[in-house]
Amino acid sequence: MDELDSYSRTVSAVAAELTGRVAAVRTGRGSGSAVVVPGDGILVTNAHVVGEARTGRADFLDGTQTGVTVVGTDPLSDLAVLRADRSGDLPPPVRLGDADALVVGQLVVAVGNPLGLAGSVTAGVVSALGRALPTRSGSAGRVVEDVIQTDAALNPGNSGGALADSHARVVGINTAVAGIGLGLAVPVNATTRRIVETLLADGRVRRAYLGVVGSPAPVPAVVAEKYGRKNGLRLAEVIGGSPAARAGLRAGDLVLDVGRRPVQDAQGIQRQLFGEAIGVPLPVTVLRNGAMVDVVAVPTELG
C-alpha cells in the first residue's frame, strides 16, 4: 500500500506541475497539444499537428486563450515551434530534462490537453529506448533516432504534449501511437534542443546529406581494446550516387569515427549533419575486412 501511495503521489505531483503548462492547440485543420518551454512566449509541438498552417490558437486549462504564430516546422524531426501573440499570458515554462539519461523501466508521465478538454495525464514506464521513427518531408526521408517508447497510454490529441520524468522534467514530446499500449516520443536532448534553436533563428532546419543507413554493432574485441570503444555503426546500405558512395563507403563497413568524433549509432552521424556541414569535407573512419580505412565525404544539402 505504501508503494502505491508513493507512486500515486509522484504522478500527482508531476500532473500538478505540468497540466497547466500544456496547451490545447488548434492550427488550421490540425489539433493537438503544445508545451510551454523556456523563451519569450515559446511553445513546442509536433510538426504534424501544425501541418501547413501559419497561425492558430492555444487554450490552457485555466481558461487562458492566446493566438499563436508558427515560427518554424521541421517535419523530419516532427517538431514545430510556436510563438504566443501575448507572451505575458502564458504560464511559466516547463523544466527540460535530458532523454539521453533515461533507462528502460523508468517511470514517465504523459501530459496532454486533447481537444481543449480537461488535461490528460497517464503514467507508465519507458518500455524501450533507441527506437526509430520514419519521417518524411516531400521526397526527403529520415529516421528520428533514439525515439522513446512508453506504455503510458497516448491518443492523437496528446500529440505535441509532454513526456516527463518523476521530477516533472520534460524528456520528450509525444508524437505517435505505436500500437495498443505503446506510444512514442521525440527525445528532448542536445540534438532536439539545437533543432528548436535553429527553428527560432531561421524558421527551418537545413541539413546535410550523406546517404547511409545503418544500425549499431559491436566492435571486434581487438579493435575495441586498442581504441577504447565497444560499438560502431554497421552500414546496411549506401545510397547510390550519394556523397557516401562517392567517397567510397560500402555496405558492411563499420563506422567508428565521423568528423573525428566517435560514432556508436545513427544519431552520432545525424547530429553532425546540420547546415554548416554542407559542402565541407567530412573525414570518416571505418573498419573494413579487419583494416582501418579513412575516406573523406563531402555532404550535400538535403532537399
Side-chain angles (χ1 to χ4, degrees):
M1 186 68 178
D2 288 342
E3 291 181 359
L4 178 61
D5 287 344
S6 176
Y7 175 87
S8 298
R9 285 196 298 269
T10 298
V11 175
S12 296
V14 173
E17 180 167 339
L18 293 183
T19 50
R21 307 180 188 192
V22 176
V25 174
R26 294 176 176 83
T27 57
R29 297 181 179 178
S31 66
S33 303
V35 181
V36 180
V37 299
D40 185 18
I42 302 303
L43 301 93
V44 171
T45 184
N46 290 145
H48 79 259
V49 169
V50 171
E52 299 297 323
R54 304 315 304 166
T55 60
R57 193 182 80 185
D59 293 67
F60 291 90
L61 205 58
D62 64 0
T64 299
Q65 297 180 348
T66 180
V68 293
T69 300
V70 179
V71 177
T73 63
D74 182 40
L76 294 182
S77 65
D78 200 19
L79 291 174
V81 174
L82 314 175
R83 189 186 300 276
D85 295 345
R86 300 187 306 275
S87 60
D89 289 346
L90 296 189
V94 301
R95 292 178 292 136
L96 298 178
D98 183 5
D100 292 347
L102 291 174
V103 296
V104 173
Q106 182 173 340
L107 170 68
V108 286
V109 180
V111 179
N113 197 344
L115 304 177
L117 303 176
S120 169
V121 179
T122 57
V125 298
V126 175
S127 53
L129 292 166
R131 289 292 188 255
L133 176 66
T135 57
R136 182 161 294 277
S137 177
S139 62
R142 183 178 181 268
V143 173
V144 181
E145 298 291 339
D146 292 336
V147 169
I148 305 162
Q149 179 180 301
T150 175
D151 65 356
L154 298 178
N155 60 59
N158 284 103
S159 290
L163 187 72
D165 64 14
S166 59
H167 299 285
R169 296 173 300 206
V170 175
V171 293
I173 302 298
N174 299 320
T175 186
V177 179
I180 298 176
L182 294 177
L184 301 177
V186 176
V188 171
N189 55 21
T191 300
T192 50
R193 287 173 192 255
R194 184 174 180 182
I195 289 170
V196 170
E197 290 170 359
T198 303
L199 289 174
L200 281 170
D202 303 326
R204 70 186 186 103
V205 178
R206 295 180 68 215
R207 284 192 175 83
Y209 171 67
L210 197 58
V212 296
V213 178
S215 60
V219 172
V222 174
V223 177
E225 183 177 350
K226 182 176 181 180
Y227 291 94
R229 71 190 57 176
K230 298 179 180 179
N231 296 297
L233 183 74
R234 179 75 67 184
L235 298 186
E237 182 182 3
V238 176
I239 308 301
S242 68
R246 291 194 294 271
L249 291 174
R250 307 173 187 172
D253 285 347
L254 183 63
V255 180
L256 301 178
D257 291 280
V258 173
R260 310 197 190 286
R261 299 177 185 175
V263 165
Q264 299 187 53
D265 50 32
Q267 190 183 40
I269 296 178
Q270 290 180 350
R271 68 168 57 101
Q272 298 187 53
L273 296 180
F274 283 88
E276 64 269 20
I278 298 169
V280 177
L282 187 68
V284 181
T285 299
V286 302
L287 185 66
R288 179 185 297 164
N289 299 324
M292 305 291 281
V293 177
D294 293 312
V295 303
V296 176
V298 181
T300 56
E301 183 165 5
L302 179 63

